């Protein structure tokens, strides 16, 4: 298994000075052990599993100029679990996330995990994770056994999150279809961008963002395929008259309210689509660490900075201001030094949770 958690082969140059990384995975041993006990052999078939530690994340962050990361446990609680085991598993994950945040003040925020598809338990755990533990948002996957984010059965969660302005980070996962040829390739390589398009279509045609205007939704990987497909998604009324009634007045403008991160979006083609589609106040730093290696993450960040056409003011939004608006815990204190770091190099007096 490749060890990307402390990649000392990363280039010396770094694209950021005080970034907030909103796409940062953690893989605690207890979580992987529990998945194995449940018969889940790997979090993603066909993809090497990296090693992870809190120390490795902090060291990577310091090498990249990232002062804070909002972490998530992906893919969270398997949707196949019965209600009580699902609730217990989610509670253990969220308690662990809260311990990690407390052990490293100013360096970590966290997205809670919820026990889908059990909606009553989802709402109970949301209130516990956000109101009692103080976690910073909710980490969702694009679908739970075919139940896609944006489905109206999720409206109670959207209402609760919108009331608190709690960000939802919607990471793609394997689609629910069976018998689909995979070409001997992992689904993350080509299916994940389409999963984000499916989420966007669900949100758009259910007018979720119009019904819950205070709901922040983040799509990673530059929004996946959404920048390319946004105009096409808006064409429903042209090919089926009843679909026009399901669309908001400005379909593309609705999709442009989504937040996106830059993970895996630094190549010229993806970056051009991202910059054409997403307003500067909706773009966030994301690394996809440790599932992507450091040298790739650094190159992506450098490409975005060098080729993204950001003004100095827009770069400040990208690097930290947009995330600070979403995650109050990570706003700099008045007594911080000019480099934005809350506690020096941050790698170390807390326990390695």
């Amino acid at each position: 298994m490749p060890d990307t958690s402390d990649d000392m082969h990363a280039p010396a140059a770094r694209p950021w000075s005080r970034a907030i990384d909103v796409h940062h995975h953690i893989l605690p041993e207890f979580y992987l052990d529990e998945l194995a006990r449940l018969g889940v052999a790997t979090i993603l078939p066909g993809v090497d599993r990296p090693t992870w530690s809190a120390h490795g994340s902090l060291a990577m962050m310091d090498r990249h100029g990232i002062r804070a990361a909002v972490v998530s446990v992906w893919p969270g609680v398997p949707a196949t679990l019965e209600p009580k085991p699902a609730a217990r598993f989610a509670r253990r994950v969220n308690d662990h996330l809260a311990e990690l945040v407390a052990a490293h003040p100013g360096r970590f925020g966290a997205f809670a995990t919820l026990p889908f598809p059990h909606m009553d338990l989802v709402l109970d755990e949301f209130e516990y994770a956000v109101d009692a533990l103080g976690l910073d948002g909710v980490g969702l996957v694009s679908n739970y056994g075919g139940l896609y984010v944006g489905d109206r059965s999720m409206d109670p969660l959207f209402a609760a999150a919108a009331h608190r302005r709690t960000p939802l980070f919607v990471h793609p996962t394997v689609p629910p279809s069976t018998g689909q040829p995979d070409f001997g390739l992992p689904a993350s390589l080509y299916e994940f961008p389409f999963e984000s398009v499916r989420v966007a279509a669900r949100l758009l045609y259910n007018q979720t963002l119009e019904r819950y205007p205070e709901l922040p939704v983040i799509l990673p990987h530059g929004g996946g395929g959404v920048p390319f497909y946004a105009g096409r998604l808006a064409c429903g009324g042209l090919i089926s008259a009843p679909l026009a009634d399901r669309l908001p007045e400005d379909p593309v403008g609705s999709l442009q309210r989504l937040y996106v991160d830059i993970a895996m979006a630094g190549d010229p083609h993806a970056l051009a689509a991202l910059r054409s589609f997403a307003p500067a106040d909706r773009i966030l730093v994301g690394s996809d660490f440790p599932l992507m290696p450091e040298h790739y993450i650094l190159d992506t960040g450098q490409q975005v900075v060098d080729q993204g056409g950001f003004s100095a003011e827009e770069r400040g939004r990208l690097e930290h201001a947009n995330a600070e608006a979403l995650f109050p815990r990570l706003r700099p204190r008045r007594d911080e030094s000019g480099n934005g770091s809350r506690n020096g190099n941050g790698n170390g007096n807390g326990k390695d949770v």
Side-chain angles (χ1 to χ4, degrees):
M1 297 177 186
D3 183 355
T4 58
S5 65
D6 198 9
D7 182 1
M8 298 310 296
H9 300 291
R14 61 184 192 177
W16 317 114
S17 61
R18 48 180 175 154
I20 297 175
D21 177 5
V22 305
H23 187 167
H24 196 109
H25 300 288
I26 70 169
L27 300 169
E29 282 301 318
F30 85 85
Y31 174 72
L32 298 174
D33 290 345
E34 181 64 12
L35 289 182
R37 189 187 70 79
L38 295 169
V40 180
T42 176
I43 59 172
L44 189 59
V47 174
D48 296 333
R49 192 190 89 187
T51 58
W52 176 83
S53 69
H55 168 77
S57 278
L58 291 164
M60 170 269 184
M61 291 159 61
D62 289 339
R63 286 193 293 271
H64 288 233
I66 295 170
R67 70 171 173 86
V70 188
V71 301
S72 56
V73 173
W74 182 86
V77 175
T80 53
L81 290 186
E82 293 296 318
K84 287 184 178 179
R88 286 195 298 268
F89 198 2
R91 179 63 54 93
R92 187 176 181 193
V93 169
N94 292 330
D95 285 341
H96 180 87
L97 289 168
E99 291 174 6
L100 177 69
V101 170
H104 305 280
R107 299 310 306 271
F108 290 125
F111 291 111
T113 292
L114 301 179
F116 275 101
H118 314 292
M119 189 53 62
D120 288 346
L121 298 176
V122 162
L123 294 175
D124 289 344
E125 190 61 26
F126 172 83
E127 291 180 0
Y128 174 75
V130 174
D131 296 341
L133 295 180
L135 298 187
D136 304 273
V138 171
L140 303 175
V141 294
S142 50
N143 83 86
Y144 295 88
L147 176 68
Y148 273 84
V149 173
D151 191 275
R152 283 183 177 261
S153 68
M154 295 186 182
D155 278 359
L157 172 64
F158 301 149
H163 176 70
R164 297 164 175 80
R165 300 189 179 184
T166 301
L168 306 182
F169 179 78
V170 188
H171 196 287
T173 190
V174 178
S177 57
T178 59
Q180 186 80 1
D182 62 13
F183 318 118
L185 300 171
S188 60
L189 201 60
Y190 60 95
E191 283 283 8
F192 277 20
F194 291 101
E195 279 291 285
S196 293
V197 173
R198 293 177 181 111
V199 169
R202 204 75 171 121
L203 295 170
L204 183 65
Y205 280 86
N206 280 336
Q207 297 193 31
T208 305
L209 299 181
E210 284 65 40
R211 292 184 295 113
Y212 302 105
E214 301 300 325
L215 179 66
V217 178
I218 305 168
L219 297 184
H221 311 124
V226 174
F228 181 86
Y229 279 100
R232 184 178 181 127
L233 288 175
C235 289
L238 301 179
I239 59 176
S240 175
L243 290 180
D245 294 333
R246 294 177 55 188
L247 282 169
E249 183 176 347
D250 179 7
V252 173
S254 177
L255 294 174
Q256 288 176 315
R257 293 167 58 186
L258 296 164
Y259 289 84
V260 299
D261 74 40
I262 64 166
M264 302 187 72
D267 71 86
H269 314 293
L271 183 57
L274 169 63
R275 288 294 280 137
S276 174
F277 169 75
D281 64 357
R282 289 294 190 270
I283 307 175
L284 305 161
V285 172
S287 69
D288 214 348
F289 183 83
L291 295 177
M292 294 303 292
E294 271 203 56
H295 65 84
Y296 177 87
I297 295 167
L298 277 166
D299 183 64
T300 295
Q302 202 63 59
Q303 289 296 319
V304 168
V305 169
D306 292 345
Q307 307 299 327
F310 291 96
S311 68
E313 189 263 344
E314 289 173 336
R315 177 170 170 177
R317 288 175 179 263
L318 162 66
E319 186 165 354
H320 58 90
N322 291 340
E324 288 165 357
L326 291 174
F327 306 106
R329 180 205 306 276
L330 301 179
R331 293 171 185 164
R333 296 192 301 258
R334 292 181 179 178
D335 59 348
E336 285 183 355
S337 59
N339 64 10
S341 175
R342 285 181 174 240
N343 44 332
N345 61 15
N347 63 1
N349 296 324
K351 59 182 179 179
D352 196 15
V353 176

